[in-house]
Every structure is written in C-alpha cells, then in structure tokens.
Amino acid sequence: MISPKLVLFALTLSLLAAAAPAPLADDLEPTRIHLRKRVSLTRSDGTFDYDEAIRQNVKTANKIRRNIINVQRNTGQLPSGVIKIPAIATLPSRLLVKRQKVPLTDLEDDSEWAGNITVGTPPRTFFIDFDTGSSDLWIPSSSCNTCQGAGKALYDASKSSTSALKDGTFEIEYGDGSSTSGPIYTDTVTVGGVKATQQYFSAVTSESPEFVGDPADGILGLALPAISNLGQDPFFVTAFKQKHAAQNEFAFKLNTTGSELHIGGTNRALYKGSLEYNNLSSNIGYWQIGNANALVNGKSAASGFQTIIDSGTTIMYGPPDAAKKVYAAVKGSQVYDADNGFYSFPCATPPILAFTWGGKSWDISPDNFNLGETQSGSGRCVGALVGKDFGLGDDVWVLGDSFMKNVYTVFSFDKKAVGFAALE
Ligand SMILES: *[C@@H]1O[C@H](CO)[C@@H](O)[C@H](O)[C@H]1NC(C)=O
Ligand SMILES: *[C@@H]1O[C@H](CO)[C@@H](O)[C@H](O)[C@H]1NC(C)=O
Ligand SMILES: *[C@@H]1O[C@H](CO)[C@@H](O)[C@H](O)[C@H]1NC(C)=O
C-alpha cells in the first residue's frame, strides 16, 4: 500500500494551486484539437503485433525511468514506493534493425493519437503526440541529422523571432541504450487556439531509430510540473497562467474516429451523464488516482491500488503479481510471454475487465481489451493488460489508451482530479 510522503504531496498541491489564478474572459472558448489514431498493436490480419508491443514496453519503461529521475532532481527525493532508479530498458537488437528498414509509407496507417501544434513566429506546424504521462515538450531540431529525410518538421531557432536559447539540456533515453540531449529554448507555442508565450521546450539534435520511425514529430507532455525534465511549467500550465485557456482543465476522447483533445474545458457533446471526479493521490506529478479496484466479469480481482492515467501509453500495465491475479480470474487464460508479461485468453470468451475508484465501474470493451490473435487461427488472443515492473512500486498501475478509449477523460487542475464519464 502506498504511504504518500506528505511533504511532496503538499509540494505538488502548491504547484497546482500556483497554477490556478481566476480565469479571465468570456471571449475564451475551449479549443478542440483533432487527433489521429495511435499505433495499433493488432496487425491488419487481426493478429497480435508482438514486436510493436515489445517496443511499446521499452518506450514506456524508459519514459517512466526518466520521470523518476526528474522527480528526484526537482524535489530531492525519489517518489514514494520507488526504491531506486531503474536501469535503461533496451530492445532486442533484431527489433532495432527491423525498424530501420520499415519504409515510412508503411507508417501512414498506424499514426498515433497525435495532432498539430505550432511553434515560433512565424508559426511552424509540428505533428505531436499528446502525453498525459510526461511534462515536457520536445520537437526535432534543424540540426538533427538522424531526423533529416524522415519527413519530420524541424525547429530552426534562427527562423523564429520569438525564440530564446536557455541554459541546460534535455535528455531522452532510447531502447537501443543510447540517449539524446537537446538545447532548451522558449518560444510561442499554440495548441488549437490556445497560446503559451515563452514556453520552455527542447529541440533534440539526434533521434534513435525508434523515434525516427514514429509518425509524430515530437511529444507534448500534459502531466504536472514535478516530473518535468526541464524543471519548468508544461504547456497547459503556462497557457492557463497567462490566461489563454478558458478553464483549468483539458479532456480527451480517444476512439478510432472522432478523437479529440479539448483544451481549457470539456466538450459536453462527447459524453453523457455526469463526470465522476477522483481526487489525485499522486505525490510525483502524475495524473494519479488511488483506491482503484479491478474487476473481471463484475468480480473484484485486485483492489486498493494506484493508477496513472496516461494517454502516451498504448496499453495497460499492472505489477506482475497483480496482473497474475487478474488473469487468474479470466477463464482459460494462459501466460503467453512470461518475460514480457503478456497473457492470452480464448478469443471466443473475452473477459470484461473494469476499473472502479469507488464510484461507477468503467468497463473495457472486449475490442479494446483484445490485442489480437497470437497467430492466425489459434483462437487465443492477447490481453491489453500486461504484467510489468517499471520500478514504480508494487501497487502502481499505468492505464493507457486501452482504458481511455472506453471513457471521456477530464484532467482537472481546478479540482486536482481526474474525471470520467460515459462516451456519448
Ligand atoms: C496537420 O497539419 C497538416 C498540414 O500542416 C495537415 O495535412 C494534417 O491533416 C494535420 N493533421 C491533423 C491531425 O490535424
Ligand atoms: C468509435 O469508433 C467506431 C468506429 O469508427 C464507431 O463505430 C463508434 O461509434 C465510436 N464510438 C464512439 C463512442 O464515438
Ligand atoms: C476531494 O478533494 C476535495 C477538495 O479538493 C474534497 O472536498 C473532497 O472531500 C475530496 N473527495 C474525496 C472522496 O476524498
């Protein structure tokens, strides 16, 4: 069970409070960003894309590792429950080689939940993955050699009249064991109609094949300041402080079609009933809510855990023991890949996995739980809950798009809470 370090929790809350002046303006409308679909772990023939799933595991592990380092640097302590900084996660070399050979045209269909932002004056468009599991904005630099020719938009500070170079460097670790760093700038950033001036971000000067092959140019982090690598306010916090966002919250609908990020409010047309808000329990800068329970076909299979709601993660991860308990409640389930935490179940009888935080029980549809058949005709399908120890402690789960696709999700700085509602 988590025992939050109250000092850090108070720090997080004070950061939140500092970011909440009374919003201005009747003329400020919430703004919508159209999103494209995230990379799929199911191939077009309905089978499970094992290699892509391994890449996602490694990417998520390294993002979480970097967040842990950032918290330690920003607060002087490791997040509660974290014993040590995890090692860099690496891909098997065969996957790195394969990725390099994938022609870019093949990636058109499996774009991420990404949308356009602009950076600089005059504005330059970047296609960005919106990530509620990190807190920094980074885009490729015009001096990034590995980014050239990969169809990426590049940031050239000399071509923006509002650009300013800042001290320090930004770092990202990759699955090939390498890392990159980039200089830090401030510039004007707009997401939909919402603008932040003098927004901190990094322009990275190299990328490993796993990011070069990614259809998005970069990432915009939407989590709280405590996990910022730059040690600065993330985009939305800046925009709200500058009174450029109508309300101090943003919301996602993720689906095959009609996905959107609503900045500075919620879109009433996209959900029905009321929003169920769950107070943040995090002491580490995540959109983290506690007192969670997992149910399989209506029966509790795990309870009293913490959940990080992360739009930048494709599937769902629980600690290995907890995932084991959940699958023990799934009739006919088997371990599919013990090393990587994958389980399979009979495709004909998918379980209904649901999460509850003390209120309503939020079901994951069989389609969203199913990552595809282990091989064509096997009759066994891989589940979207994976047992993986990311070093966050033994009661922290990460719920990504496989969960978020089933609900309307509101991330509220105002209420210091994550809200869920049924999709319209
Ligand atoms: C992003 O902008 C480009 C043009 O710069 C456009 O072709 C594309 O459709 C836009 N994507 C989204 C998801 O809005
Ligand atoms: C999600 O997308 C699918 C496929 O386009 C569509 O059939 C379904 O109605 C959508 N659901 C919602 C809630 O928008
Ligand atoms: C959530 O936090 C608010 C204050 O922000 C408090 O009034 C409320 O009682 C909390 N709810 C729960 C269930 O703890």
Side-chain angles (χ1 to χ4, degrees), residues 6 20 28 37 46 54 86 174 191 360 380 383 405 419:
L6 289 174
L28 289 178
K37 187 172 167 249
I54 299 292
Y174 295 116
V191 180
K360 198 170 177 281
R380 299 203 59 85
K405 281 192 284 188

Side-chain angles (χ1 to χ4, degrees), residues 283-312:
N283 60 349
I284 59 169
Y286 278 120
W287 291 103
Q288 181 172 324
I289 51 181
N291 190 30
N293 296 281
L295 299 97
V296 175
N297 301 329
K299 287 203 189 108
S300 178
S303 62
F305 53 90
Q306 299 285 316
T307 51
I308 291 166
I309 311 301
D310 182 0
S311 68

